[in-house]
């Protein structure tokens, strides 16, 4: 059994979907822990270490973000704050005048931090390439999902169900790396 520490229920839903496929039981706890500012990797390591110590059991945490090339990879590690302040419309405004899909390149990144009592934390990075659409599309998912276009699917994350998204998302990629490692090392 793995405990996923997060305050984001959308993440839990996506993770449950993925863990089911790998036959690993997942529980969810919201520790209400305040993340330090730093790279995704630093935040994931600090969070996993803190939670494993506090709960005295194996845990995973995730730090994720949207990285937009033409904005110098903003909002990146500020994704959560930016979503809560300027939101999707604010991002679209910042990209006003950039009409070429190639110039609207973006990546979602997800870092899973794993830690257990008396072991050092480990991290697993998952990424997904796409682009930012000209206006929001779709009402599924959460946060930046209606902005993020996936060329292979010809759809935004906002147009996909949780089940569809979790087949190939940045979160799927990081969790799959984690699960493969976990199955052969636990
Ligand atoms: P935690 O409790 O797990 O920290 P959180 O929502 O604060 O939940 P993060 O710190 O990882 O999550 O912040 C990442 C932000 O990036 C998140 O709030 C969203 O705004 C955005 N984000 C991350 N993954 C996303 C996804 O799959 N779809 C849309 N937006 C996403």
């Amino acid at each position: 059994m793995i405990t996923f520490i997060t305050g984001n229920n959308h993440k839990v839903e996506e993770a449950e979907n993925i863990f089911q496929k790998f036959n690993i039981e997942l529980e969810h706890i919201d520790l209400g822990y305040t993340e330090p500012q730093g790279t995704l990797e630093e935040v994931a390591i600090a969070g996993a270490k803190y939670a494993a110590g506090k709960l005295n059991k194996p845990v995973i945490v995730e730090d994720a973000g949207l990285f937009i090339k033409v904005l110098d990879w903003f909002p990146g590690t500020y994704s959560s704050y930016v979503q809560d302040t300027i939101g999707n419309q604010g991002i679209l405004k910042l990209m006003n005048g950039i009409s070429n899909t190639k110039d609207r390149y973006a990546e979602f990144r997800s870092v899973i931090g794993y830690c257990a009592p008396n072991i050092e934390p480990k991290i697993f990075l998952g990424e997904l390439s796409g682009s930012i659409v000209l206006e929001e599309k779709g009402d599924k998912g959460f946060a930046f999902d209606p902005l993020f276009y996936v060329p292979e699917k010809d759809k935004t994350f906002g147009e996909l169900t949780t089940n569809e998204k979790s087949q190939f998302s940045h979160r799927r990629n990081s969790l799959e790396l984690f699960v493969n490692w976990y199955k052969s090392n636990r």
Side-chain angles (χ1 to χ4, degrees), residues 2 6 11-12 17 31 37 53 64 69 78-79 83 86-87 92 96 105 110 122 127 140 142 144 152 156 166 179:
I2 289 284
T6 178
K11 286 187 178 183
V12 177
N17 220 292
L31 271 189
Q37 193 62 47
K69 187 166 182 211
Y78 301 100
S79 290
Q83 178 58 221
I86 65 171
L92 289 175
N96 222 342
Y105 176 84
S110 156
K122 281 196 81 70
E127 295 170 297
K140 299 188 180 72
F142 69 103
F144 300 113
E152 291 80 14
T156 67
S166 55
V179 167

Side-chain angles (χ1 to χ4, degrees), residues 107-173:
E107 289 170 10
F108 260 122
R109 296 182 200 154
S110 156
V111 175
I112 295 294
Y114 167 81
C115 194
N118 303 318
I119 69 159
E120 282 306 302
K122 281 196 81 70
I123 49 174
F124 304 86
L125 167 69
E127 295 170 297
L128 189 74
S129 297
S131 63
I132 302 300
V133 286
L134 294 169
E135 51 185 68
E136 287 185 86
K137 231 175 154 199
D139 55 8
K140 299 188 180 72
F142 69 103
F144 300 113
D145 281 346
L147 290 186
F148 190 76
Y149 174 79
V150 186
E152 291 80 14
K153 306 282 167 191
D154 191 24
K155 280 191 174 140
T156 67
F157 268 172
E159 295 176 290
L160 298 171
T161 61
T162 301
N163 187 35
E164 288 167 333
K165 178 183 171 187
S166 55
Q167 308 288 333
F168 68 95
S169 67
H170 51 307
R171 188 158 294 114
R172 163 62 179 253
N173 294 336

Side-chain angles (χ1 to χ4, degrees), residues 13 15-17 22 33 54 58 68 74-75 77 80 82 93-94 117 120 145-146 161-162 169 171 177-178:
E13 234 181 279
E16 272 170 351
N17 220 292
F22 291 99
Y33 155 82
K54 176 121 186 147
I68 302 173
F74 182 81
T77 55
S80 191
V82 168
K93 235 184 220 165
L94 290 176
E120 282 306 302
D145 281 346
T161 61
T162 301
S169 67
R171 188 158 294 114
L177 287 174
F178 163 69

Side-chain angles (χ1 to χ4, degrees), residues 36-120:
Q37 193 62 47
T39 63
L40 298 184
E41 288 80 2
E42 285 165 349
V43 172
I45 286 172
K49 206 167 182 168
Y50 170 81
K54 176 121 186 147
L55 299 175
N56 203 30
K57 57 182 170 182
V59 299
I60 52 171
V61 302
E62 187 213 26
D63 200 39
L66 176 66
F67 294 74
I68 302 173
K69 187 166 182 211
V70 73
L71 301 182
D72 265 337
W73 307 113
F74 182 81
T77 55
Y78 301 100
S79 290
S80 191
Y81 177 74
V82 168
Q83 178 58 221
D84 291 344
T85 51
I86 65 171
N88 289 352
Q89 287 306 317
I91 294 281
L92 289 175
K93 235 184 220 165
L94 290 176
M95 298 181 72
N96 222 342
I98 302 157
S99 52
N100 190 321
T101 306
K102 228 182 103 212
D103 295 336
R104 297 175 72 90
Y105 176 84
E107 289 170 10
F108 260 122
R109 296 182 200 154
S110 156
V111 175
I112 295 294
Y114 167 81
C115 194
N118 303 318
I119 69 159
E120 282 306 302

